[in-house]
Amino acid sequence: AQSVTQLGSHVSVSEGALVLLRCNYSSSVPPYLFWYVQYPNQGLQLLLKYTSAATLVKGINGFEAEFKKSETSFHLTKPSAHMSDAAEYFCAVRLDTGTASKLTFGTGTRLQVTL
Amino acid sequence: EPEVTQTPSHQVTQMGQEVILRCVPISNHLYFYWYRQILGQKVEFLVSFYNNEISEKSEIFDDQFSVERPDGSNFTLKIRSTKLEDSAMYFCASSVGGPGIQHFGDGTRLSIL
């Protein structure tokens, strides 16, 4: 079975500061990992994905994440926060079964960006 | 850019009533999913659907739930006799292939009174 743990349900950063959202995964086989963002009253938008190619993955809006197998982590970072980054961020894991495979989500981290 | 559309955006229903949530997946996608998010909790998988049959379902997806692709464009989730605990945001998603990226709609907020 696969699972993800997101440390910190709320993270607050100043505009221009580094954003670091933590995600650790548990999987019996090499996983596919994802970060989704949810803006208020909207659906889930894919930020980036790891699918066993490069361990450093670049996504949209300046976000990136690094897959570290030794630490079972897939933390999301952005060098400089913008007010528009305020949203809820979800880490998710999926097994590669070759068929319709479900996403298992973490509990989410709400990012607040202050002036 | 093509997107998944869900209707209605908000549905209010009396407990015990049947409700149907509708989704129009992206047109060339073949795999369809429903997830739900109870307020303040994480997004949970309900069911996946491919080739007109359920591929996988979670423990949540009991006999009160059913899914259907009634025509070439719609994908529906039916809850036969709603309970208070069914109140949640329901998300539809679709992907080109099974391993493909899942694209999500904006969700239907279901409120059971």
Side-chain angles (χ1 to χ4, degrees):
Chain A
Q2 70 267 28
S3 66
V4 290
T5 301
Q6 291 183 244
L7 294 176
S9 58
H10 288 83
V11 169
S12 182
V13 300
S14 300
E15 190 174 36
L18 171 72
V19 175
L20 171 61
L21 305 182
R22 299 178 186 274
C23 174
N24 289 87
Y25 71 89
S26 172
S27 175
S28 56
V29 298
Y32 286 3
L33 292 160
F34 306 81
W35 276 99
Y36 281 85
V37 60
Q38 184 181 29
Y39 298 101
N41 300 315
Q42 293 187 26
L44 298 162
Q45 180 183 3
L46 181 69
L47 272 179
L48 48 80
K49 64 183 188 293
Y50 167 76
T51 56
S52 75
T55 56
L56 181 62
V57 181
K58 295 189 184 298
I60 62 172
N61 301 339
F63 284 93
E64 63 182 36
E66 186 172 7
F67 174 73
K68 292 187 177 179
K69 185 177 179 180
S70 60
E71 298 177 9
T72 62
S73 68
F74 189 58
H75 302 331
L76 182 71
T77 60
K78 182 174 180 178
S80 177
H82 191 273
M83 296 295 289
S84 61
D85 295 326
E88 184 123 24
Y89 292 80
F90 292 93
C91 183
V93 63
R94 193 192 75 203
L95 299 183
D96 178 18
T97 64
T99 58
S101 43
K102 64 182 181 184
L103 289 166
T104 299
F105 286 87
T107 50
T109 297
R110 183 167 299 280
L111 176 65
Q112 180 182 20
V113 183
T114 59
L115 288 172
Chain B
E1 184 178 327
E3 56 183 31
V4 176
T5 56
Q6 291 186 241
T7 54
S9 58
H10 191 188
Q11 173 81 46
V12 182
T13 301
Q14 293 288 329
M15 186 172 60
Q17 295 296 305
E18 175 183 285
V19 66
I20 297 176
L21 309 183
R22 303 182 190 280
C23 169
V24 179
I26 296 173
S27 61
N28 64 333
H29 286 190
L30 299 176
Y31 294 80
F32 314 111
Y33 311 82
W34 282 102
Y35 293 82
R36 81 172 185 189
Q37 184 182 27
I38 294 172
L39 188 64
Q41 299 185 24
K42 64 181 178 181
V43 178
E44 302 172 288
F45 168 78
L46 290 178
V47 66
S48 58
F49 190 86
Y50 168 71
N51 199 26
N52 281 321
E53 59 182 30
I54 291 173
S55 301
E56 184 180 2
K57 58 183 181 179
S58 71
E59 294 175 351
I60 304 167
F61 195 87
D62 62 22
D63 292 344
Q64 295 298 314
F65 291 87
S66 62
V67 288
E68 191 179 30
R69 188 154 164 82
D71 52 43
S73 60
N74 290 283
F75 179 52
T76 61
L77 173 69
K78 182 192 290 185
I79 309 175
R80 184 159 53 234
S81 179
T82 50
K83 307 183 188 73
L84 292 175
E85 54 264 38
D86 294 327
S87 294
M89 180 75 89
Y90 288 80
F91 292 106
C92 174
S94 67
S95 63
V96 173
I101 299 297
Q102 293 180 24
H103 297 259
F104 284 78
D106 285 345
T108 293
R109 181 168 298 284
L110 177 63
S111 300
I112 307 299
L113 305 179

